[in-house]
């Protein structure tokens, strides 16, 4: 049978705080000198350093794995959305686009990163879009703008660009999430309405248009002359 006659316990320390003990068991009780205790404590300190280093490496690995899983989940979400999606750093430097952007513009990911998002914009819209984006990233305020974006076949279509800052628990911006939504059909319909409204304004008869809730949506120049109300005063009023 085996037995021990004594035990020496040495603290495992981190920044002055004991987080464990190193126990040494001896078969016979013998006096322990100061030098021996010093050597044993150095052994305990080396062991503590190794444990802490291993713990830190494991924590870093877990954090990296969690970050990779989070980024992959985020990427899958961006690919599932029906819009073009883009992700910039806090300073506005673009670091990712979803496949819809690549398919629409015909650009590669490498061509799109950084400031590569701006060249596909209509030349008349590029300076305005760049200035608006810089103002958003400088202030941390949401970004919103309408612009024409060149398709891979050279056709420009109107887009609504939006982006919001994503912050951490401390409130600091860690990235932006942006989208491009195709509004070209809406813009064309809007232009037709404006054109038709211009024609109605030329009519000599008073023309009033109301919606299904009986609120006035159009009031031409002749209606202004006939009723004495301006379009600004009449539009939105109920005619019940």
């Amino acid at each position: 049978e085996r037995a021990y006659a004594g035990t020496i316990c040495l603290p495992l320390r981190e920044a002055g705080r004991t987080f464990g003990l190193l126990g040494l068991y001896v078969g016979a009780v013998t006096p322990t000198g100061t030098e021996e205790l010093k050597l044993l404590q150095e052994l305990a300190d080396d062991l503590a350093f190794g444990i802490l280093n291993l713990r830190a490496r494991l924590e870093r690995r877990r954090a990296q794995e969690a970050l990779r899983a989070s980024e992959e989940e985020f990427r899958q979400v961006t690919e599932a959305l029906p819009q073009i999606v883009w992700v910039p750093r806090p300073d506005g430097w673009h670091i990712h686009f979803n496949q819809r952007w690549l398919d629409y513009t015909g650009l590669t990911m490498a061509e799109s990163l950084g400031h590569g998002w701006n060249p596909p914009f209509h030349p008349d819209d590029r300076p305005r879009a760049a200035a608006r984006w810089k103002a958003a990233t400088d202030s941390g305020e949401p970004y919103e703008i309408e612009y024409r974006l060149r398709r891979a076949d050279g056709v420009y279509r109107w887009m609504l660009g939006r982006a919001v800052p994503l912050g951490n628990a401390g409130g600091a911006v860690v990235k932006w999430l942006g989208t491009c939504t195709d509004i070209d059909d809406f813009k064309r319909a809007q232009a037709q309405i404006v054109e038709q409204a211009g024609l109605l304004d030329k009519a000599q008869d008073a023309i009033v248009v109301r919606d299904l809730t009986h609120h006035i949506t159009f009031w031409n120049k002749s209606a202004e002359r006939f009723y004495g109300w301006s379009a600004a005063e009449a539009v939105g009023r109920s005619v019940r």
Side-chain angles (χ1 to χ4, degrees), residues 178-192:
T179 60
C180 302
T181 304
D182 192 319
I183 58 170
D184 197 75
D185 293 340
F186 170 77
K187 294 287 284 188
R188 292 179 186 277
Q190 191 178 52
Q192 289 179 347

Side-chain angles (χ1 to χ4, degrees), residues 146-158:
E146 293 181 2
Y147 52 80
R148 288 157 290 182
L149 186 63
R150 188 181 65 237
R151 204 166 56 190
D153 60 3
V155 173
Y156 285 94
R157 290 183 66 84
W158 280 99

Side-chain angles (χ1 to χ4, degrees), residues 101-151:
W101 165 271
L102 306 181
D103 294 341
Y104 181 90
T105 62
L107 299 175
T108 65
M109 184 67 76
E111 292 170 330
S112 304
L113 300 180
H115 297 301
W117 58 273
N118 194 258
F121 283 39
H122 192 281
D124 294 343
D125 300 334
R126 290 174 194 166
R128 180 171 55 89
R132 186 79 59 85
W133 178 235
K134 185 178 185 306
T137 54
D138 286 347
S139 66
E141 295 295 321
Y143 168 81
E144 183 169 323
I145 189 173
E146 293 181 2
Y147 52 80
R148 288 157 290 182
L149 186 63
R150 188 181 65 237
R151 204 166 56 190

Side-chain angles (χ1 to χ4, degrees), residues 195-206:
E195 182 181 355
Q196 292 169 357
L199 294 174
L200 293 176
D201 259 343
K202 296 177 182 178
Q204 296 302 309
D205 297 327

Side-chain angles (χ1 to χ4, degrees), residues 8 40 70 133 140 147-148 170 173 206:
I8 298 175
L40 291 173
S70 177
W133 178 235
Y147 52 80
R148 288 157 290 182
V173 176

Side-chain angles (χ1 to χ4, degrees), residues 44-124:
D45 291 343
D46 289 343
L47 178 61
F49 176 80
I51 292 173
L52 293 173
N53 187 49
L54 178 60
R55 182 185 295 173
R57 282 172 22 202
L58 291 174
E59 289 176 352
R60 282 197 300 271
R61 183 181 299 174
R62 282 195 292 266
Q64 290 169 352
E65 290 173 352
L67 178 61
R68 282 195 293 268
S70 177
E71 289 176 344
E72 176 59 21
E73 183 179 358
F74 183 79
R75 189 195 66 79
Q76 291 177 4
V77 170
T78 64
E79 293 299 336
L81 292 174
Q83 298 125 310
I84 290 171
V85 179
W86 37 282
V87 182
R89 295 185 319 212
D91 61 0
W93 185 267
H94 288 57
I95 58 175
H96 180 74
F97 291 84
N98 70 348
Q99 187 62 41
R100 293 182 187 277
W101 165 271
L102 306 181
D103 294 341
Y104 181 90
T105 62
L107 299 175
T108 65
M109 184 67 76
E111 292 170 330
S112 304
L113 300 180
H115 297 301
W117 58 273
N118 194 258
F121 283 39
H122 192 281
D124 294 343

